[in-house]
Amino acid sequence: MVTVRRVLALFSISLGVCLSATIIEGPKDAFALVHSDAAFNCTVSLNWKIIIWMIGRIPILTVVKEGPIETNPQFGHQNYSTTTTFISELIISRVTMRNNTTVQCNIQTDEIRQAFLFVQVEGQLSFATDISSIEQNRVFIIVCKAEGWYPAPAILWKKNSTTIDSKMYSTTVHQSSENHYNTFSTLNLTLSVSSNITCLANIKALPQPRTTALFITVKPTADGNQSWLIIAIVVPIAVAILLIILIIVIVICLKRRKRYETRYRNELSKRSPKTPQEMSTNGKEIYGVDNIGMSIGSENDYRLSPSLTSPYWMDMRSREMNSNVLETPPAPADNYAVQERTQRQPMNVPGNPRKIRHMTTV
């Protein structure tokens, strides 16, 4: 009899274990903004008897076959049933930072499923400086600040609809006294055309990132205008300097040429015979002296008088015929007069000039 009783007891225990309720799917982690609602689902088998919801190991809601037993208006309940499962949904209204803890689903067995409730705070997002226009192809800095967030948000930048590389900006985070975070992101950017710059802050509790945008107009660089102004000033000055240098070079060349010509004329004047010049009483120049006793005659003028046929005079005549210098004896003052010439007259001297001398013998 004792053996039969033991077998029946073991069979009863095994049957109870096999027929006990199980948790098919427990609650999942949830992210909720402060003062918003959060929900958790616990799916159990149909043979469940009791479901107890706990926050931080403190029971807050009990569900039985007859319905939920609510003790706190912040915590609500809804249920959904299928042909094989029962779904219990815990609703936490207007969550606070104190609800930032674990949530457990317990069916009074050894099986307990839990999840974590992350309560987050959405702060403010703005630009530290208001920039409306910049110069073309100039590096400029934009600072985006996210203040009063929990946790610290992730900052992204976009130019028009294109995400900017993270190497172009840096982000710093500071914790405030209220355990909130202030995030500052500094963007270094160069624009060639007008663009729309967007700063995005995101936390998991947000369905979409928080954004703030700024349209920046690109203006021509001031250096371009200054460069044209510099060119307009420098070019005329450079041209004037070149002209001055050119004039100086020309003057120097002319002086050198004049110096060479003067030197050349002096050399010629040293080599050529000087023409006798005399100044008249009224200051006019007189070139040469006319010999009235000299004339260009016929061959009879070359005949010598008998008195000149002596050896002395013949020798004198022979030397004069072979001489290349035309000598004119001085004429008496009472027989010759000085005549002024108004202009120079060239002398036609033959290649082998003949010399004629008229002499009077007494």
Side-chain angles (χ1 to χ4, degrees):
M1 294 294 295
V2 176
T3 304
V4 174
R5 287 179 181 177
R6 290 180 178 178
V7 171
L8 290 176
L10 292 173
F11 180 75
S12 299
I13 294 172
S14 300
L15 182 62
V17 172
C18 293
L19 296 177
S20 63
T22 58
I23 298 175
I24 298 174
E25 184 177 0
K28 304 295 183 182
D29 293 343
F31 297 87
L33 293 175
V34 66
H35 304 312
S36 64
D37 297 341
F40 296 89
N41 294 331
C42 184
T43 303
V44 299
S45 60
L46 289 177
N47 59 346
W48 66 278
K49 298 299 182 181
I50 186 173
I51 300 174
I52 300 174
W53 288 96
M54 295 183 295
I55 292 182
R57 298 182 181 274
I58 299 174
I60 58 170
L61 181 67
T62 301
V63 182
V64 296
K65 292 288 186 177
E66 290 77 13
I69 302 174
E70 298 177 356
T71 59
N72 190 330
Q74 185 184 7
F75 306 104
H77 181 269
Q78 285 185 353
N79 62 276
Y80 311 93
S81 298
T82 64
T83 56
T84 57
T85 60
F86 177 84
I87 300 174
S88 174
E89 182 179 21
L90 172 67
I91 300 173
I92 305 175
S93 302
R94 295 184 62 81
V95 296
T96 63
M97 297 302 295
R98 292 180 298 177
N99 303 135
N100 196 27
T101 184
T102 58
V103 177
Q104 295 179 350
C105 175
N106 188 351
I107 58 173
Q108 290 297 302
T109 63
D110 294 337
E111 190 175 8
I112 298 175
R113 301 288 181 89
Q114 71 177 13
F116 200 90
L117 174 59
F118 297 94
V119 179
Q120 298 183 344
V121 179
E122 179 186 9
Q124 301 296 323
L125 184 67
S126 61
F127 290 106
T129 55
D130 187 12
I131 301 176
S132 58
S133 62
I134 60 171
E135 293 182 356
Q136 188 178 24
N137 295 327
R138 283 292 186 90
V139 178
F140 68 98
I141 297 175
I142 303 178
V143 178
C144 180
K145 58 181 181 178
E147 297 177 310
W149 290 68
Y150 182 86
I155 302 296
L156 297 176
W157 290 88
K158 284 187 177 182
K159 183 177 72 172
N160 297 328
S161 59
T162 304
T163 302
I164 298 175
D165 190 355
S166 60
K167 296 179 181 179
M168 302 298 295
Y169 58 88
S170 60
T171 303
T172 57
V173 179
H174 304 281
Q175 188 173 8
S176 65
S177 59
E178 299 178 355
N179 293 327
H180 292 172
Y181 295 91
N182 299 327
T183 304
F184 299 88
S185 183
T186 304
L187 173 66
N188 298 316
L189 193 63
T190 303
L191 294 179
S192 57
V193 295
S194 300
S195 303
N196 189 33
I197 305 300
T198 304
C199 177
L200 301 90
N202 189 28
I203 54 179
K204 290 185 177 182
L206 290 174
Q208 297 291 335
R210 179 80 175 268
T211 62
T212 180
L214 184 66
F215 185 79
I216 299 178
T217 303
V218 176
K219 296 181 179 180
T221 58
D223 290 344
N225 299 331
Q226 292 179 358
S227 61
W228 282 108
L229 181 61
I230 292 173
I231 292 174
I233 294 174
V234 171
V235 170
I237 294 176
V239 172
I241 293 174
L242 290 176
L243 288 176
I244 292 173
I245 294 174
L246 182 61
I247 292 172
I248 292 173
V249 171
I250 293 175
V251 170
I252 293 173
C253 292
L254 291 177
K255 285 185 177 181
R256 287 184 178 180
R257 182 177 178 182
K258 186 175 181 180
R259 190 184 308 150
Y260 293 153
E261 290 180 354
T262 304
R263 187 181 301 171
Y264 179 72
R265 289 177 181 176
N266 292 336
E267 293 293 333
L268 291 180
S269 62
K270 290 179 181 179
R271 296 178 181 180
S272 60
K274 295 182 179 180
T275 304
Q277 298 182 359
E278 293 182 2
M279 297 296 295
S280 63
T281 56
N282 57 0
K284 293 182 179 181
E285 294 181 356
I286 300 174
Y287 296 89
V289 178
D290 290 337
N291 188 356
I292 300 175
M294 183 177 179
S295 64
I296 300 174
S298 60
E299 295 180 357
N300 295 327
D301 295 333
Y302 295 97
R303 296 175 183 176
L304 299 176
S305 60
S307 61
L308 298 178
T309 56
S310 64
Y312 174 77
W313 292 111
M314 290 298 293
D315 183 67
M316 290 285 294
R317 185 169 179 268
S318 175
R319 281 185 297 170
E320 290 176 2
M321 289 294 291
N322 295 327
S323 176
N324 292 327
V325 180
L326 181 61
E327 296 180 358
T328 304
D334 55 346
N335 295 330
Y336 301 94
V338 179
Q339 297 180 359
E340 295 180 1
R341 293 186 180 181
T342 57
Q343 61 182 358
R344 293 183 180 181
Q345 295 181 0
M347 296 180 63
N348 295 325
V349 180
N352 189 12
R354 293 175 298 175
K355 302 173 184 62
I356 300 172
R357 173 175 290 181
H358 296 268
M359 301 182 66
T360 305
T361 303
V362 179

